Amino acid sequence: MRALVKDRAGPGLRLCEVPTPTPAAGEVLVRVLRAGVCGTDLHIYRWDAWAARTVRLPLVPGHEFVGEVVATAAGTGGLLAGQTVSAEGHLVCGDCRNCRAAAPHLCPRTRGLGILRDGVFADYAVLPATAIWQHRPGVDLDTAALFDPFGNAVHAAHTFPLRDKVVAITGAGPVGLMTIPVARHFGARAVVVVEPSPHRRRLAECQGATITCPDSADLAGALRDLGRCDGFDVGMEMSGHPMALTELLAHMSHGGRVVVLGLPDRPVPTDWADISLRMLTVQGVSGRRIFDTWHQVTALLDAGIRPAAVITHHFPADDYATAFEVATSTMAGKVMLVWSTEPRTGGRT
Ligand SMILES: [Zn+2]
Ligand SMILES: [Zn+2]
C-alpha cells in the first residue's frame, strides 16, 4: 500500500510502498478514504523542535480521517467490514485514575494517533476498536473526515456558557473557523475574530463572525464598536501565537473566561497578579471529550451547522507535497488528502 512516511529527522515526508498492516486482537483494518491535514501534521512535516522531541521514527502521520472498515480481528465488538468510521486520535490507556473515573480525555498516558503510533496518511491503517467512531450510513465524507477537528471546536465552545456573551476568538485556522458558527449556535451575542490573513478573515466572515480584525491590538476597537468597553466575556485562543494570548487576556472583562487551545511554541509570560485582580478563569482545552463531544458533533450537524464549509482544497494523496505547501500558506482553510475515490462498499444502506 501507499503511505506517507517520516523516516528521517528533517523536513518533508516520503510517499512509499509499505506492507499493509495486519490488525491484532482488539484492532480493525480501515481503508482510508479522505484525511485532513492538521497543524500537528505540519509540525511533523516541517520537523520543528516539538516534532523532534516528540516523534519516534519511522512514522506515518495523520489522524483526521474517514475510512471504511475492511477487516476486524478478535475482540472488536460489533464493528463490521463496510462500516464508515473515523477514530478518536487521542488513544487513552483505559486504566489510569481518570480513565477509570469516566474522564478519559484527561488520561495522562494519552498517545496521539499519527504522533506516537502510525496514523492514517496511508491507503490502510490499523486502529484500536475502542477508538473507532462509527458514522451514520450515508454520511458526507468531507464532514465525517472533520469530526476530529470540529470536535476540538465544539469542545472549546462548550467549555463556558456562551448565551448572550461577547466572544473573542484569536486565530482563524480551521478550528477557529469551525468554532464561530458553534459559538453563534450556543447563543453568543457577538463573535470577534482576530486573524492576520485577509483570506482567512473572509472565511471567518462567511462562518458568521460579527467583526474580524487583522491584529489582536485591534480588540479594543472591536469592543468599542460593540459598545462593550469593559472587555470580552469569553475568549478563545486558537492561534498559538504568544502575543495573541497576551492581548486576549488584556481585553477580557472582570470575571472573563478564557479557553486556551492554541499551542505557543515557547513559554508566554503572564501577569498573574492581573489574572487574580480581574478574577479571570483560564481553561486549557485539548482534544475532545471521549465520546461525549462526538455525540455533540452529531447533534450540531443535525442542527444545520456545516463544518465542511472550511475545506478549501482537496488533493489526491500522490500530490501530498502541494497539499502540505498549500496547508502551510495562509490561503487555506482545511486541506483534505483524497486517498481513495472508489465508492464505499457499505455505508449507503
Ligand atoms: Zn488534528
Ligand atoms: Zn488513562
Side-chain angles (χ1 to χ4, degrees), residues 210-222:
T210 319
I211 297 176
T212 60
C213 33
D215 195 295
S216 41
D218 305 332
L219 284 169

Side-chain angles (χ1 to χ4, degrees), residues 87-107:
E88 169 54 57
H90 286 190
L91 306 172
V92 298
C93 79
D95 198 37
C96 70
R97 176 190 166 96
N98 287 334
C99 282
R100 291 166 67 98
H105 65 293
L106 301 176
C107 175

Side-chain angles (χ1 to χ4, degrees), residues 83-161:
Q83 287 170 340
T84 305
V85 297
S86 294
E88 169 54 57
H90 286 190
L91 306 172
V92 298
C93 79
D95 198 37
C96 70
R97 176 190 166 96
N98 287 334
C99 282
R100 291 166 67 98
H105 65 293
L106 301 176
C107 175
R109 296 185 204 143
T110 299
R111 290 164 57 83
L113 178 66
I115 300 170
L116 293 177
R117 167 188 172 123
D118 278 348
V120 298
F121 286 163
D123 286 320
Y124 295 90
V126 153
L127 298 155
T130 50
I132 292 287
W133 174 263
Q134 207 181 308
H135 290 290
R136 292 186 289 199
V139 66
D140 169 65
L141 290 181
D142 278 339
T143 305
L146 285 175
F147 264 55
D148 170 303
F150 185 46
N152 285 140
V154 171
H155 184 190
H158 206 258
T159 304
F160 298 121

